[in-house]
Amino acid sequence: MTAVRGTTVDIPTQDGIADAYLAHPDDTDRHPAVLFYMDAFGLRPHLRGMADRLAAAGYTVLVPNVFYRHGRAPVVELPDFLDPTARSAVFEHIAPMAQELTPERAVRDAGAYLDWLASCAQATDGPMGLTGYCLGAGLALRTAGAHPGRVAAAAGFHGAFLATEAPDSPHTVARQITAELYFGHADQDQSLPPEQIERLDKALNEAGVRHRTEVYAGAQHGFTQADTSAYNAEAAERHWEALLDLLGRTL
């Protein structure tokens, strides 16, 4: 295994300072940059572990606390393991913060994250990769649309509300995207029912976006998150294979 170095960094934004986790191979080389968007439960040990695994594959990975306007991570205190009972209680605190992260704020923040990565001594020059989980999949989609010249690839896993009927739904940015996309959906996910998957694929097809969509059978929303009851080891490993394949071909 490649040795990895992880540190906490601060990223200036138009609205304050976003704390973030930076992981990269523990060497003096520069590596392709990946912006990693957290799930709704936030920046925590499990996500740092995921970033470390991605960094061990040869990438410089930045995981921002997208709820930084409400404090540094952990913004909400979490139990070591999120079962359905704990999940409901935690979401009472998280839901208002997610609603306040408007598309305008998300895109503004994305520019700051990409600027920071572009100046990072451990990152190579050129287009970057994105990956996102839960609400982070929508953030990745919006970022790819808002910053097409800076993003070569974007992936989203168990994404939530990616293609609603709202006028500012994430899928409406499809025509601005130049990156190659991959989506790994859960087939047991109330936050992304089949009609939204179809709407997302239709928008991407009509816009001519290179993409691949897969629905993981037997997977629940959150299947990559080992500190929750939704974790599915087989689906999580499939996600790693797909993500590393996408990044390896495009960065």
Side-chain angles (χ1 to χ4, degrees):
M1 290 290 292
T2 299
V4 169
R5 177 172 296 180
T7 56
T8 297
V9 299
D10 287 342
I11 302 172
T13 77
Q14 293 184 35
D15 297 330
I17 300 294
D19 54 306
Y21 180 69
L22 178 70
H24 56 85
D26 190 11
D27 56 30
T28 58
D29 295 334
R30 296 159 68 93
H31 301 273
V34 178
L35 176 57
F36 181 126
Y37 279 119
M38 65 185 221
D39 66 345
F41 294 129
L43 183 51
R44 60 194 191 279
H46 173 64
L47 290 194
R48 292 184 182 93
M50 291 181 69
D52 288 349
R53 177 167 175 174
L54 189 52
Y59 299 95
T60 292
V61 186
L62 182 69
V63 192
N65 165 25
V66 304
F67 294 152
Y68 70 89
R69 292 175 180 85
H70 299 271
R72 298 179 71 86
V75 179
V76 176
E77 292 296 333
L78 300 174
D80 292 335
F81 185 78
L82 283 152
D83 60 21
T85 301
R87 181 189 296 263
S88 298
V90 169
F91 262 111
E92 292 182 7
H93 300 284
I94 291 174
M97 294 189 288
Q99 292 172 358
E100 290 178 23
L101 185 59
T102 63
E104 293 77 17
R105 286 179 170 179
V107 168
R108 194 160 67 230
D109 289 347
Y113 303 149
L114 295 175
D115 286 345
W116 193 93
L117 267 174
S119 65
C120 178
Q122 291 80 26
T124 56
D125 296 330
M128 306 173 192
L130 311 173
T131 187
Y133 303 82
C134 180
L135 67 80
L139 296 177
L141 190 56
R142 291 191 192 280
T143 300
H147 304 278
R150 309 181 73 176
V151 178
F157 299 93
H158 46 83
F161 311 112
L162 296 180
T164 70
E165 295 180 349
D168 60 354
S169 171
H171 80 287
T172 60
V173 306
R175 294 193 180 280
Q176 285 74 56
I177 293 174
T178 58
E180 181 176 345
L181 308 184
Y182 175 88
F183 291 99
H185 305 304
D187 73 340
Q188 300 175 30
D189 193 343
Q190 295 181 352
S191 68
L192 197 75
E195 58 267 25
Q196 286 197 39
I197 295 175
E198 293 174 7
R199 188 178 294 131
L200 174 60
D201 280 339
K202 180 180 179 182
L204 296 174
N205 285 327
E206 290 179 349
V209 177
R210 292 167 299 154
H211 72 284
R212 183 157 62 102
T213 296
E214 295 186 315
V215 178
Y216 293 16
Q220 301 178 37
H221 181 79
F223 61 78
T224 61
Q225 304 302 303
D227 57 353
T228 78
S229 57
Y231 180 64
N232 181 310
E234 181 178 352
E237 286 305 308
R238 180 177 173 184
H239 129 270
W240 281 115
E241 292 175 5
L243 176 59
L244 292 174
D245 174 69
L246 175 69
L247 297 177
R249 288 186 291 101
T250 56
L251 298 187

